[in-house]
């Protein structure tokens, strides 16, 4: 019940296209859903996060869509650029788990020029 | 703001030696720090959680005598890999959170450990 399932494992998108990565969770107590971006050999960096009281959050080209009833959330990268090529991780946390992040398996995104 | 540094960024050591990795929060006080391990092409695996001034809480399966964690101040936590072996080779990442938003973790750049 603590799992966060992420798909796809890898994704290739043309420059300028929309990249979409999906995550699903079981624990309805989760109340914080961040997305992290990680470049090779670097630590993850927080990209954008959402709480379950809103269905969408947008920051620049990055948007999180959140579907509470389906227990799913997704990351949309608009106008994808080669510099967006990285591994993306979704995660979830809540107070009951001492705010420990439960991680998805990651998605390797490649943006083709 | 919210910068976390790690030192060293990479280290190579001989089997049987000990290696210390430092994690510092540069512009905030970290009430809690986390240590993760990441294998190639895999997600982050939480090793332990440390709160300033108290003993670390280790995840199931992590040997606390092998991976010594000290969180001596609000800006510094250290991970010491004792008697390192080749199977300890990995990418170690720390993160820190302040008392302002318990959900938000700020990650260090990671330390690549290679044990020969």
């Amino acid at each position: 019940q603590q799992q966060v399932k992420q798909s796809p494992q890898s994704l290739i998108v043309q420059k300028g296209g929309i990249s979409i990565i999906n995550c699903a969770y079981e624990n309805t107590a989760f109340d914080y859903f961040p997305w992290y971006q990680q470049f090779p050999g670097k630590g993850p960096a927080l990209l954008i996060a959402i709480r379950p009281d809103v269905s969408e959050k947008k920051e620049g080209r990055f948007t999180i869509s959140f579907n509470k009833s389906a227990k799913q959330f997704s990351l949309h990268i608009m106008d994808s650029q080669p510099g967006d090529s990285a591994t993306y991780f979704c995660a979830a946390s809540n107070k009951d788990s001492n705010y420990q992040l439960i991680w998805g398996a990651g998605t390797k995104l490649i943006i083709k020029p | 703001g919210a910068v976390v540094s790690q030192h060293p960024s990479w280290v190579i050591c001989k089997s049987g030696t000990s290696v210390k990795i430092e994690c510092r929060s540069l512009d905030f006080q970290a009430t809690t720090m986390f240590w993760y391990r990441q294998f190639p092409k895999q997600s982050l695996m939480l090793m332990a959680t440390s709160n300033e001034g108290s003993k670390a809480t280790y995840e199931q399966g992590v040997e606390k005598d092998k991976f010594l964690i000290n969180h001596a101040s609000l800006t510094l936590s250290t991970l010491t890999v004792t008697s390192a072996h080749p199977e300890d080779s990995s990418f170690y990442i720390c993160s820190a959170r302040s008392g302002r938003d318990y959900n938000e973790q700020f990650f260090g750049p990671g330390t690549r450990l290679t044990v020969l």
Side-chain angles (χ1 to χ4, degrees), chain B residues 2-5 23-35 49-54 70-78 94-102 104-107:
Chain B
V3 178
V4 176
S5 70
C23 176
R24 293 182 185 272
S25 56
L26 298 185
D27 50 5
F28 68 101
Q29 293 187 325
T31 54
T32 304
M33 286 184 167
F34 302 88
W35 286 95
T49 302
S50 73
N51 293 297
E52 185 264 338
S54 60
N70 185 287
H71 191 162
S73 77
L74 285 172
T75 59
L76 174 65
S77 177
T78 60
C94 73
S95 71
R97 74 177 182 209
S98 69
R100 282 171 34 175
D101 183 345
Y102 289 124
E104 199 163 6
Q105 291 184 30
F106 303 98
F107 285 81

Side-chain angles (χ1 to χ4, degrees), chain A residues 38 43-44 51 93 98-99 103-104, chain B residues 38 43 97 101 103 107-109:
Chain A
Q38 186 180 30
R51 297 182 191 272
S93 69
N98 194 27
Y99 304 99
W103 296 86
Chain B
Q38 187 178 35
S43 190
R97 74 177 182 209
D101 183 345
N103 284 298
F107 285 81

